[in-house]
């Protein structure tokens, strides 16, 4: 198999999915490969307790999504009821990863996906045509090119639509009849059974949308009613976020063949700064002016990976000295004026920590000049 930068979860976790399918032979919705309980365990983990299969095999299942187990359970129940699921939240809260994990566990593939953009058309959600066959043989099932959504319908799988609010409203509404009637009419085929595609058991749609994109292309009321909405919040637990940033940064660095050497104290400082700027307050209760840029966990992973790659390939500077420059790059993405807010954070909360005797905060304070233009 050709090497991949990132393996989809159905391949990366194939052994675990096979084990969970054998370990829980209980009732499952039509078309599902795992029971709903096993899907939750696959995504949220077994809390350190081993899962034992009827054949005697036993293994603990690690959590792959850092968040409330109740959120995962609600998502699974929604899909078990053949309702559409819409995951909303700030950018970088792992909505896409959660949708991939759900699809991989339920139907064995996360690849039936449409990326929503301003250029997405109805064909991407319904079907198109092989024009060479269309000219040679006329409209037929053979000349029809199904979308990932139509393929999911006819095979009883989960279709994923990323960034649905970036699609134009008339494109979004192509999903209304699919989600309500569970069939898609193909008028070009002239009527009859062959002109209707019916949803097989197990079919559903998971869509994602960023809260900051509301108003880009607002969803119609009719389409909203076809979805259950679930908000995916930022990670609340500090230790869990540090562990996630460490794990994903290590994976990104080792994937390119480098050694991961980022100190845990540097990661804790990085995550603390991101959380301060994300929430607008510190654990000490000091107010912080929030930048307009999203200080997400995903951005923290990218910064940690960059620091680790610098240490691996360009050794020399103290890894902590690289943090201010990377933070400037993050906060300036949406508004260059946010650099002043980052400087205010340095002169406020960070300086107070340095004066209180925090060694690592004193070191960061010494790199204040990096924040100036």
């Amino acid at each position: 198999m050709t090497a991949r930068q990132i393996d989809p979860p159905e391949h990366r976790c194939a052994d675990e999915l096979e084990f969970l399918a054998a370990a829980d032979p209980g009732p499952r919705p039509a078309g599902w490969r795992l029971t709903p309980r096993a899907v939750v365990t696959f995504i949220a983990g077994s809390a350190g307790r081993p899962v034992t299969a009827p054949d005697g095999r036993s293994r603990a299942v690690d959590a792959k999504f850092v968040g409330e187990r109740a959120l995962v359970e609600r998502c699974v129940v929604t899909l078990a009821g053949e309702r559409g699921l819409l995951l909303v939240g700030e950018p970088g809260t792992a909505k896409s990863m959660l949708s991939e994990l759900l699809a991989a566990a339920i139907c064995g593939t996360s690849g039936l996906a449409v990326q929503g953009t301003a250029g997405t058309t109805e064909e991407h959600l319904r079907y198109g045509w092989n024009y060479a066959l269309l000219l040679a043989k006329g409209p037929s099932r053979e000349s029809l090119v199904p979308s990932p959504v139509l393929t999911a319908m006819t095979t009883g799988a989960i279709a994923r639509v990323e960034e649905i609010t970036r699609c134009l409203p008339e494109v979004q509404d192509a999903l209304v009849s699919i989600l309500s009637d569970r069939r898609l009419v193909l008028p070009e085929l002239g009527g009859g059974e062959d002109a209707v595609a019916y949803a097989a058991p197990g079919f559903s749609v998971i869509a994602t949308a960023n809260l900051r994109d509301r108003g880009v292309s607002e969803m119609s009321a009719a389409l909203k009613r076809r979805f259950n909405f679930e908000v995916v919040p930022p990670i609340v637990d500090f230790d869990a976020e540090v562990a996630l940033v460490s794990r994903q940064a290590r994976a990104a660095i080792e994937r390119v063949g480098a050694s991961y050497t980022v100190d845990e104290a540097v990661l804790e400082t990085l995550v603390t700064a991101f959380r301060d700027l994300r929430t607008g307050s510190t654990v000490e209760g000091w107010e912080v002016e929030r930048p307009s840029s999203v200080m997400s966990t995903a951005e923290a992973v990218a910064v940690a990976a960059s620091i680790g790659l610098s240490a691996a390939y360009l050794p020399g500077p103290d890894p902590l000295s690289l943090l201010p420059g990377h933070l400037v790059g993050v906060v300036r993405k949406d508004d260059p004026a946010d650099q002043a807010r980052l400087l205010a954070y340095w002169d406020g909360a960070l300086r107070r920590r340095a004066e209180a005797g925090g060694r690592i905060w004193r070191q960061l304070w010494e790199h204040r000049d990096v924040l100036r233009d």
Side-chain angles (χ1 to χ4, degrees):
M1 184 177 64
T2 304
R4 298 165 173 161
Q5 287 187 329
I6 298 178
D7 241 358
E10 58 267 25
H11 295 161
R12 187 173 66 249
C13 306
D15 289 345
E16 193 170 78
L17 289 168
E18 181 275 331
F19 168 78
L20 287 171
D24 190 351
R28 62 196 69 187
W32 283 38
R33 297 195 173 194
L34 301 181
T35 66
R37 180 171 54 189
V39 174
V40 173
T41 300
F42 172 70
I43 297 170
S46 60
R49 296 186 295 272
V51 177
T52 303
D55 60 7
R57 288 183 297 163
S58 180
R59 65 188 294 176
V61 179
D62 292 331
K64 298 159 192 68
F65 171 74
V66 180
E68 291 185 1
R69 192 181 192 90
L71 167 65
V72 179
E73 291 174 349
R74 291 195 301 271
C75 292
V76 170
V77 168
T78 292
L79 296 170
E82 296 184 336
R83 284 277 293 175
L85 173 65
L86 181 62
L87 302 174
V88 300
E90 293 286 341
T93 51
K95 298 181 296 297
S96 295
M97 183 181 75
L98 178 55
S99 75
E100 285 185 346
L101 291 169
L102 287 164
I106 291 170
C107 66
T109 179
S110 60
L112 296 173
V114 176
Q115 179 60 53
T117 69
T120 302
T121 66
E122 279 196 42
E123 288 186 354
H124 292 106
L125 297 177
R126 293 163 59 88
Y127 56 89
W129 297 97
N130 180 325
Y131 288 102
L133 284 175
L134 185 65
L135 291 172
K137 299 183 178 181
S140 65
R141 281 293 184 107
E142 184 183 5
S143 56
L144 183 144
V145 179
S147 70
V149 177
L150 181 53
T151 299
M153 280 185 65
T154 55
T155 59
I158 300 292
R160 301 190 303 113
V161 182
E162 295 289 331
E163 309 285 6
I164 190 171
T165 52
R166 290 195 173 276
C167 302
L168 295 174
E170 57 269 26
V171 174
Q172 296 177 26
D173 282 346
L175 290 173
V176 172
S177 61
I178 292 173
L179 290 173
S180 57
D181 301 333
R182 299 288 160 160
R183 62 179 180 266
L184 181 60
V185 177
L186 315 171
E188 296 89 345
L189 300 188
E193 280 296 306
D194 205 38
V196 181
Y198 293 92
F203 166 69
S204 195
V205 175
I206 305 174
T208 65
N210 287 326
L211 289 175
R212 296 201 177 202
D213 287 340
R214 282 186 173 175
V216 172
S217 293
E218 183 67 26
M219 294 174 66
S220 67
L223 184 56
K224 286 179 180 179
R225 288 196 300 272
R226 270 68 180 183
F227 283 104
N228 283 1
F229 281 56
E230 289 292 344
V231 177
V232 183
I235 298 172
V236 175
D237 184 80
F238 174 79
D239 292 336
E241 186 168 10
V242 172
L244 176 65
V245 171
S246 175
R247 184 169 62 252
Q248 294 200 354
R250 179 187 295 275
I253 292 168
E254 292 179 347
R255 192 163 57 238
V256 300
S259 298
Y260 179 81
T261 59
V262 181
D263 188 81
E264 191 75 11
V266 174
L267 283 182
E268 291 178 356
T269 304
L270 184 159
V271 172
T272 298
F274 266 77
R275 291 169 72 93
D276 292 344
L277 293 166
R278 181 194 308 152
T279 61
S281 65
T282 69
V283 293
E284 297 90 346
W286 306 327
E287 289 190 7
V288 174
E289 191 174 5
R290 296 173 59 185
S292 55
S293 297
V294 179
M295 308 300 292
S296 66
T297 303
E299 289 282 8
V301 170
V303 171
S306 296
I307 291 174
L309 288 170
S310 295
Y313 291 132
L314 304 170
D318 174 13
L320 190 64
S321 69
L322 303 174
L323 179 55
H326 285 295
L327 281 174
V328 170
V330 173
V331 301
R332 285 177 60 95
K333 283 185 177 181
D334 288 340
D335 184 359
D338 281 339
Q339 186 166 343
R341 295 184 175 92
L342 181 61
L343 186 59
Y345 171 68
W346 234 258
D347 291 340
L350 195 148
R351 177 180 60 81
R352 294 171 73 173
R353 286 172 178 155
E355 291 174 347
R359 178 186 60 83
I360 202 162
W361 297 106
R362 286 200 305 271
Q363 289 178 266
L364 266 184
W365 171 255
E366 292 171 359
H367 299 293
R368 179 181 181 277
D369 289 344
V370 175
L371 307 180
R372 293 183 174 275
D373 287 325

